[in-house]
């Protein structure tokens, strides 16, 4: 009996993995509009009803994709933070680039990561939130994506604190993240014209790192 249960669990996990991979591929190719449960199921090669047993709808599926993406970015920043071969400024530069590179290389995913959800956890009331969690499961629970994003932010703040000090970490951390978000958005929209602004993404990142480094040396 235990072997049958394990096989079923493994099969369900493999199906979820295939669905999430297919959703991420469709998102990269055509944006959120291209991601439907039907198309994801077809691309994953599963039965027509399989996606609906794992996700309540498109929003649930995209939320799960966002959660996994935030985990990957968090892993990148953690690896940078704990790398003894890198200086504090190199760690910060790498962390900023990790976020900007998602906007540059996966613009549709980037928009999903920073989208404003219509109904955030807590806005539906405790009862409705509990039902949503039961229906979506951990794969599509907005709280899971939020925790993954918070983990990235915490790793990032630790890197900033090493340069700017604990007291100033949140101030400069917020400034750096909003700046990186603006840089990514400007480049994504085509408004970061090198001929007009006489600068590049790398130069802007270097300026941000120097600014925080100088602030840390003054404290």
């Amino acid at each position: 009996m235990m072997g049958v249960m394990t096989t079923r669990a493994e099969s369900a996990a493999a199906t979820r993995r295939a669905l999430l991979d297919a959703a991420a591929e469709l998102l990269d190719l055509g944006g959120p509009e291209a991601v439907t449960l039907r198309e994801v199921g077809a691309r994953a090669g599963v039965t027509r009803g399989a996606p609906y047993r794992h996700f309540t709808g498109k929003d649930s599926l995209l939320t799960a994709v966002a959660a996994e993406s935030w985990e990957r970015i968090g892993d990148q920043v953690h690896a940078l933070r704990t790398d003894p071969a890198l200086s504090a400024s190199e760690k910060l530069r790498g962390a900023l680039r990790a976020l900007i590179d998602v906007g540059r290389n996966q613009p549709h995913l980037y928009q999903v990561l920073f989208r404003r959800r219509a109904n955030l956890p807590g806005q539906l009331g405790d009862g409705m939130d509990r039902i949503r969690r039961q229906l979506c499961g951990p794969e599509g629970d907005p709280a899971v994506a939020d925790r993954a994003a918070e983990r990235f932010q915490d790793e990032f703040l630790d890197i900033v604190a090493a340069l700017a000090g604990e007291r100033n970490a949140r101030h400069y951390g917020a400034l750096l993240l909003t700046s990186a978000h603006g840089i990514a958005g400007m480049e994504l929209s085509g408004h970061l014209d090198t001929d007009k602004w006489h600068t590049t993404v790398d130069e802007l990142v270097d300026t941000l790192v120097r600014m925080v480094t100088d602030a840390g040396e003054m404290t």
Side-chain angles (χ1 to χ4, degrees):
M1 186 66 175
M2 183 62 71
V4 173
M5 292 176 62
T6 302
T7 301
R8 287 177 179 172
E10 291 173 347
S11 177
T15 299
R16 283 195 299 271
R17 178 75 269 142
L19 291 169
L20 287 169
D21 289 345
E25 291 169 2
L26 286 169
L27 180 63
D28 282 345
L29 290 171
E33 296 78 14
V35 181
T36 66
L37 291 187
R38 177 174 293 183
E39 288 298 323
V40 167
R43 191 176 188 86
V46 300
T47 61
R48 181 171 295 187
Y52 300 90
R53 290 193 291 273
H54 293 274
F55 303 100
T56 58
K58 177 175 181 171
D59 189 68
S60 170
L61 181 55
L62 287 175
T63 296
V65 171
E68 286 204 340
S69 298
W70 277 123
E71 283 291 347
R72 283 194 294 271
I73 300 170
D75 288 343
Q76 284 181 264
V77 176
H78 174 78
L80 288 165
R81 182 178 65 80
T82 57
D83 189 341
L86 298 177
S87 67
S89 60
E90 288 172 331
K91 292 176 182 181
L92 180 56
R93 186 177 293 105
L96 290 170
R97 283 305 305 264
L99 188 60
I100 293 172
D101 283 348
V102 177
R104 170 178 283 173
N105 301 323
Q106 296 178 282
H108 296 304
L109 171 62
Y110 189 84
Q111 291 174 346
V112 168
L113 291 177
F114 288 97
R115 66 178 176 158
R116 183 178 183 274
R117 289 192 294 274
N119 290 308
L120 297 174
Q123 291 182 344
L124 299 178
D126 290 341
M128 288 300 293
D129 266 346
R130 187 163 53 252
I131 292 171
R132 186 218 284 266
R133 286 193 297 271
Q134 289 171 348
L135 289 173
C136 295
E139 299 84 9
D141 185 353
V144 175
D146 291 342
R147 285 195 296 272
E150 287 170 8
R151 179 197 167 220
F152 155 76
Q153 292 168 3
D154 289 343
E155 292 282 357
F156 184 79
L157 279 172
D158 285 344
I159 289 177
V160 176
L163 275 176
E166 289 288 346
R167 186 167 62 89
N168 298 318
R170 292 187 180 275
H171 174 78
Y172 283 106
L175 180 62
L176 287 165
L177 286 182
T178 53
S179 297
H181 187 48
I183 291 170
M186 285 279 284
E187 186 178 51
L188 185 58
S189 64
H191 290 140
L192 190 57
D193 189 327
T194 302
D195 291 336
K196 178 177 178 61
W197 298 109
H198 299 169
T199 191
T200 65
V201 169
D202 288 334
E203 289 171 348
L204 290 171
V205 169
D206 286 342
T207 298
L208 290 171
V209 173
R210 282 197 305 272
M211 177 188 69
V212 176
T213 302
D214 291 344
E217 291 173 351
M218 292 173 62
T219 57

